[in-house]
Amino acid sequence: MRRALTTGLALYLALGGVLSSPVQVQAPFELNRENISEVEDIPASAKPPRQLRGRFLHITDMHPDPLYQVGGSVSSACHRNKPKKDTQRAGYLGTPYKDCDSPLTLTDYTLDYLEQHWAEHIDFVIWTGDSARHDNDRKNPRTPKNIYDLNRQMTKRMEQIFLSKGIPVVPTIGNNDVWRPNSITLEYSTIWKSFIPFSSYGVFQRGGYFIVDVIPDTLAAISLNTMYFYDSNKAVGGCEYTQPNDPGNLQLDWLGVQLGIFRDKGISVWLMGHIPPTPDLYFPECYYRYTEISLRFQDTIVGHLFGHMNIDHVNQGFDTLFEDDITGGGKVVVEAHKGLDKVLLKDFSELPEDVDYGDYGVINVSPSVVPTYFPSFRVFNYNISAEAVQEALDTKERRHRGETFLRPPPHGHRKPDPGKPREKQCKKAEFKDSWRCHFSKGDWHSDPEAPSRKNGLMSPLGFAQYYLPDVENANETYTPKWELEYMTYGLSVFEKNRTDEPQEVIPRMNLPKSLRNGGGGKYAPYSLNDLTIPSWIELARKLGNGENRKLRKKFREYMFMGHGEAV
């Protein structure tokens, strides 16, 4: 069975290009031995005009709503006072656990906080969509103008806060960012002109996906248009094998080509989008193709970043891709978020004892700014240490001498032989035109030394999740503060005089007092060494063990942000 571990995080991925607007751009991170700085272990070439920090922001699902009315009834989507008998009323900074979007006071407060506390401490921004309100009010139906105007407003703020400082911003299209799922018009080509590299402009105009070279020649992010994979979009063909010109197939064809190019160049990639790849959200054939491509280029893809779900969770995907029995037993469909925690913990408990890490990938699904629970965002840390640079340089030099490759050539991890049962099933009419019966028989590029498998240059090291508790009690005189909810790091990274952890994982100004003073154990429930595939699988095993009740309880608390259950 080929599977991929999907984490409760959001992931971001980029491919080459330069910013098309005349703003300060990210300085190249060149792998030259003489550029390894003795100061802060960061290559000197990254310092003019900005020094790499080894961090990036993931923000998703802001859903700003200009119709939001403080004191409005929840049953009116927080838009009107009526009905007066409705005792549930809209709060000043939002209304958690209800079907209301974000007041502009919340989106402004969030972006102001990011500008003041994080903009100087990150290298790029992953922005995974849904930057317009839901169409949930029959008396005020959403129009294309509403959608585009809200996205223009959000784009302007992101430009002012980040792009003006030379920090790349990589957006993606959410299901609430389009009037019709397939109407990828010239509107976003104009709205996001400052974010889309000139080299990707034509591709974006045709399909709504593009590449950003967030650290030139080293790290890229690929922004996917997941509307072509989303099974609620009935206007597309769902990546059917018999429809090669289906927009989903065309996008995945393009993705495979780009990943092959990046692999040849030794460039690591984050994949990002709005709708996460799961069997209950993607068309089956789109899911199979995305899975196969993700595992085929596991040595190139650092991880995957998504939004849409509005909750923090870790789940497993990429099931039953190469099982002999391809009839399928139906997919698990969880109504909204209810029962998702039980499904995930059950999946974790069924992890095989003998794990082949080449069969997995990490999909990060991040919680939202819109207060489905509490407003939230994440800041990831990734490896740019001098030691990691040195190892990458040594590998690169061996490659130039013909001894090896930064991303080794295909070796040792082949798609399994389908076997006679599979061959027999693939001859049947209902299966012969499935992608599962037509995948390439070539090698999957699975490398134990890749940054997704072993902590090295560009490997994700961890994340810190911030949230806005007590938001329901906010008013004009009381504003709750953004707080650290939890982090994946262990407390050891904050020990003084450490020699093996040169990067500052969280700026001191953004740490709670207890962590600054040597305490803060409540913020470190997982204590992961890094966010590589083996580390996530180790955590999944612990969560799957029913005896680890305290850890499982924490997992549920973080999933629903202390609410105890789904809403």
Side-chain angles (χ1 to χ4, degrees):
M1 178 182 292
R2 302 287 182 185
R3 307 185 125 189
L5 187 69
T6 325
T7 79
L9 323 168
L11 282 181
Y12 143 55
L13 143 74
L15 302 175
V18 295
L19 294 173
S20 57
S21 60
V23 297
Q24 185 180 17
V25 299
Q26 181 77 304
F29 184 48
E30 297 177 356
L31 290 181
N32 296 321
R33 196 174 302 277
E34 59 271 20
N35 285 338
I36 298 179
S37 172
E38 295 180 359
V39 181
E40 300 187 22
D41 294 318
I42 297 176
S45 61
K47 293 181 179 178
R50 295 191 73 250
Q51 176 179 302
L52 281 176
R53 306 293 188 178
R55 302 185 202 94
F56 69 88
L57 167 69
H58 182 200
I59 188 169
T60 191
D61 293 81
M62 287 193 274
H63 287 291
D65 186 358
L67 301 182
Y68 186 100
Q69 181 176 323
V70 176
S73 65
V74 168
S75 60
S76 71
C78 297
H79 289 171
R80 294 174 294 281
N81 286 327
K82 296 181 179 181
K84 293 184 178 180
K85 64 180 181 180
D86 192 342
T87 59
Q88 296 179 312
R89 295 286 157 175
Y92 179 73
L93 277 180
T95 311
Y97 317 127
K98 306 301 177 184
D99 291 329
C100 295
D101 285 323
S102 301
L104 299 186
T105 51
L106 173 61
T107 54
D108 286 344
Y109 183 53
T110 301
L111 293 172
D112 287 345
Y113 176 82
L114 291 172
E115 181 174 23
Q116 295 166 14
H117 291 263
W118 284 103
E120 294 297 332
H121 303 285
I122 60 173
D123 300 327
F124 55 92
V125 177
I126 301 299
W127 178 19
T128 48
D130 268 10
S131 301
R133 71 177 179 92
H134 288 94
D135 192 14
N136 57 357
D137 183 357
R138 292 182 179 180
K139 292 187 177 181
N140 291 284
R142 190 180 59 186
T143 67
K145 185 177 186 303
N146 297 152
I147 295 171
Y148 298 138
D149 284 350
L150 286 168
N151 269 276
R152 286 190 186 94
Q153 292 175 28
M154 293 296 101
T155 294
K156 185 175 181 180
R157 289 300 311 276
M158 299 294 269
E159 289 174 338
Q160 292 171 342
I161 296 169
F162 301 110
L163 209 62
S164 66
K165 300 177 178 65
I167 301 170
V169 176
V170 191
T172 194
I173 295 170
N175 58 302
N176 285 287
D177 295 326
V178 291
W179 175 242
R180 294 181 177 86
N182 310 313
S183 60
I184 307 302
T185 67
L186 296 178
E187 289 288 345
Y188 281 104
S189 299
T190 302
I191 295 171
W192 290 346
K193 185 176 181 180
S194 59
F195 301 145
I196 303 170
F198 180 77
S199 58
S200 287
Y201 207 69
V203 171
F204 181 84
Q205 287 182 318
R206 290 193 299 272
Y209 40 91
F210 64 104
I211 295 166
V212 176
D213 207 359
V214 290
I215 304 177
D217 300 321
T218 306
L219 183 66
I222 298 177
S223 178
L224 298 172
N225 179 7
T226 56
M227 297 304 98
Y228 294 150
F229 310 145
Y230 189 26
D231 66 1
S232 293
N233 181 7
K234 305 306 180 184
V236 294
C239 306
E240 294 289 336
Y241 178 76
T242 56
Q243 299 182 35
N245 291 323
D246 172 74
N249 277 327
L250 293 175
Q251 180 174 197
L252 291 167
D253 290 343
W254 171 85
L255 177 61
V257 171
Q258 304 310 311
L259 289 171
I261 293 172
F262 282 118
R263 183 178 189 274
D264 291 342
K265 292 181 177 180
I267 294 174
S268 297
V269 172
W270 280 103
L271 290 179
M272 60 174 282
H274 182 65
I275 309 289
T278 66
D280 57 317
L281 292 175
Y282 278 24
F283 290 106
E285 296 297 304
C286 296
Y287 178 71
Y288 300 145
R289 284 207 70 187
Y290 187 92
T291 297
E292 193 275 336
I293 288 174
S294 297
L295 298 182
R296 179 161 28 115
F297 292 99
Q298 189 208 55
D299 67 341
T300 301
I301 299 170
V302 181
H304 311 242
L305 296 164
F306 292 88
H308 181 67
M309 298 295 289
N310 298 343
I311 58 173
D312 171 4
H313 63 285
V314 181
N315 65 346
Q316 290 184 17
F318 300 174
D319 275 335
T320 65
L321 183 60
F322 289 117
E323 291 181 339
D324 284 344
D325 179 8
I326 65 168
T327 57
K331 60 187 181 184
V332 175
V333 179
V334 180
E335 181 183 356
H337 306 142
K338 294 180 180 178
L340 182 56
D341 55 330
K342 296 181 178 65
V343 171
L344 298 179
L345 291 172
K346 183 176 183 295
D347 282 349
F348 298 156
S349 70
E350 296 174 351
L351 279 167
E353 292 184 9
D354 185 16
V355 170
D356 183 345
Y357 296 124
D359 295 347
Y360 291 78
V362 176
I363 308 238
N364 297 287
V365 182
S366 182
S368 59
V369 171
V370 67
T372 301
Y373 296 94
F374 288 131
S376 183
F377 65 85
R378 276 197 187 127
V379 177
F380 283 79
N381 190 255
Y382 64 98
N383 194 341
I384 57 169
S385 66
E387 180 182 0
V389 172
Q390 184 65 60
E391 290 178 358
L393 283 169
D394 292 342
T395 304
K396 192 173 184 179
E397 288 175 359
R398 287 196 299 271
R399 179 185 65 176
H400 289 161
R401 294 195 300 267
E403 297 176 13
T404 185
F405 291 83
L406 188 61
R407 295 290 182 268
H411 64 82
H413 189 89
R414 296 178 177 274
K415 187 182 74 173
D417 185 349
K420 292 182 179 179
R422 182 182 173 81
E423 288 181 356
K424 185 177 181 180
Q425 289 183 19
C426 284
K427 291 178 181 179
K428 296 179 180 180
E430 62 264 43
F431 300 123
K432 69 177 183 179
D433 287 331
S434 169
W435 275 104
R436 286 174 291 177
C437 294
H438 294 276
F439 284 137
S440 169
K441 294 182 180 179
D443 292 343
W444 284 2
H445 306 310
S446 176
D447 180 10
E449 301 295 316
S452 64
R453 298 269 296 275
K454 179 183 176 182
N455 188 356
L457 186 65
M458 299 295 119
S459 292
L461 300 176
F463 69 80
Q465 182 160 299
Y466 285 76
Y467 76 138
L468 194 63
D470 202 30
V471 67
E472 64 266 39
N473 293 319
N475 54 47
E476 292 184 356
T477 60
Y478 167 66
T479 304
K481 295 182 179 180
W482 283 94
E483 298 178 10
L484 176 66
E485 183 186 15
Y486 78 97
M487 59 188 183
T488 61
Y489 317 101
L491 293 178
S492 61
V493 300
F494 299 102
E495 293 176 0
K496 295 181 179 180
N497 302 320
R498 283 178 59 89
T499 59
D500 58 338
E501 193 69 36
Q503 290 179 238
E504 182 185 44
V505 295
I506 302 175
R508 183 174 175 81
M509 65 177 288
N510 294 328
L511 286 175
K513 184 179 295 185
S514 58
L515 278 175
R516 292 183 217 166
N517 297 332
K522 70 176 184 178
Y523 298 109
Y526 301 142
S527 296
L528 299 179
N529 293 326
D530 51 50
L531 298 185
T532 59
I533 293 168
S535 293
W536 277 117
I537 290 179
E538 180 182 358
L539 175 60
R541 285 192 188 283
K542 293 178 180 178
L543 290 169
N545 185 344
E547 295 182 1
N548 289 331
R549 294 179 182 178
K550 186 176 180 180
L551 186 66
R552 288 160 69 97
K553 181 180 178 181
K554 279 291 183 184
F555 172 74
R556 288 189 172 99
E557 286 179 0
Y558 294 138
M559 175 177 283
F560 304 122
M561 293 191 167
H563 190 255
E565 59 182 2
V567 297

